Amino acid sequence: MAAARPAVTGFDLDPAAAADAVRSFLADYLAGSPADGYVVGVSGGLDSVLAAHLLADAVGPESVTALLLPAAPSDPEHVADARAVCERLGVEYREHDIQPIVDDVTAARADLSKTAVGNVQARVRMVLLYQAANDTGALVVGPNNRSERLLGYFTKYGDGAADVAPLADVYKTEAYDLAREVGVREEIVSKTPTAELCAGQTDRDELDAPYEVVDPILHAYVDEDRTVAETVEATGADRETVTGLAERHESSAHKRERPPSPGLR
């Protein structure tokens, strides 16, 4: 009988080493491309602020442009935090209320769900980010973390569309330590995670668990290739939660893959 696999107790990401690796990646990738800089959307939430810090450190604030693209129900305090972060980092930023564009896109349909409207918001932001990148010869940075990517917790061709994804290997719980390592202020780190795509939305409510529960499950199920039963045993999480997250991961595979083709080449 095979020996039982050890329980999941944590991850191996060292914040200082990870910060250096991400900075080096961003600097090297830009140097090896024909682009002149990076464009990043900054909402005032942890991931986008963390990305802005890493970008400014890696290539200098003069090579970074931030777009602030609020829409209902964006919290004015989050937008103010985004402004303050850009100003403190010395990053040029432009602000544009996208609600009129979203209203124009959704006007033809009175029956759109909150999720559908949220997807429109994310895709409008993508269009404006790529427009800014085209104007300046820059690359678009996507600040989505590994937890979001593994669960498909992003909009396909919206916030999931980017040229560079510096946080794609960083779980949300690891992003907190990484943010503190690079100097993100504690009031940003301690915010309740939310995509702000509808009023009162939080990541915890939509995922049915906090990231402190989600991340060890994903690490066991995906990184360590455990079964649902093995993941339950390794993490101590209840089977319903593990099953739900595993199903989210499997059903969102299309978001992480290139569009399929008939295989003629």
Side-chain angles (χ1 to χ4, degrees), residues 100-265:
I101 304 174
V102 174
D103 289 343
D104 285 345
V105 174
T106 59
R109 291 280 302 275
D111 61 340
L112 289 177
S113 66
K114 290 181 179 179
T115 298
V117 173
N119 285 337
V120 170
Q121 289 183 8
R123 290 176 178 134
V124 167
R125 291 185 175 112
M126 179 273 292
V127 169
L128 295 178
L129 285 165
Y130 271 97
Q131 182 181 68
N134 291 339
D135 288 343
T136 60
L139 297 168
V140 173
V141 174
N144 297 87
N145 59 63
R146 182 166 176 77
S147 308
E148 293 167 334
R149 289 184 63 80
L150 291 181
L151 293 173
Y153 191 46
F154 58 90
T155 297
K156 193 173 185 178
Y157 308 124
D159 54 320
D163 300 312
V164 182
L167 302 180
D169 301 326
V170 179
Y171 281 105
K172 182 71 173 187
T173 48
E174 297 172 325
Y176 297 127
D177 292 335
L178 184 56
R180 293 185 177 101
E181 174 66 29
V182 303
V184 176
R185 292 184 172 178
E186 190 61 32
E187 58 264 32
I188 302 290
V189 177
S190 62
K191 285 184 179 183
T192 299
T194 173
E196 285 197 304
L197 296 180
C198 60
Q201 182 268 346
T202 68
D203 292 9
R204 176 173 183 157
D205 288 344
E206 290 205 321
L207 300 177
D208 297 320
Y211 284 111
E212 290 76 13
V213 173
V214 169
D215 287 355
I217 291 172
L218 291 175
H219 180 65
Y221 183 73
V222 179
D223 298 337
E224 298 184 338
D225 196 27
R226 302 191 193 223
T227 64
V228 166
E230 290 170 340
T231 299
V232 169
E233 182 178 0
T235 62
D238 65 88
R239 190 177 185 89
E240 182 179 2
T241 299
V242 173
T243 300
L245 293 172
E247 289 176 350
R248 276 181 176 268
H249 172 69
E250 301 298 342
S251 66
S252 62
H254 66 97
K255 290 186 171 186
R256 296 181 292 274
E257 299 171 354
R258 57 170 287 182
S261 67
L264 301 179
R265 290 288 187 274

Side-chain angles (χ1 to χ4, degrees), residues 49-90:
V49 170
L50 172 56
H53 273 257
L54 289 164
L55 286 162
D57 288 347
V59 299
E62 68 280 358
S63 296
V64 182
T65 300
L67 296 191
L68 283 57
L69 303 170
S74 295
D75 188 331
E77 291 187 6
H78 291 180
V79 181
D81 287 340
R83 290 190 206 105
V85 166
C86 293
E87 290 168 2
R88 186 161 68 90
L89 294 174

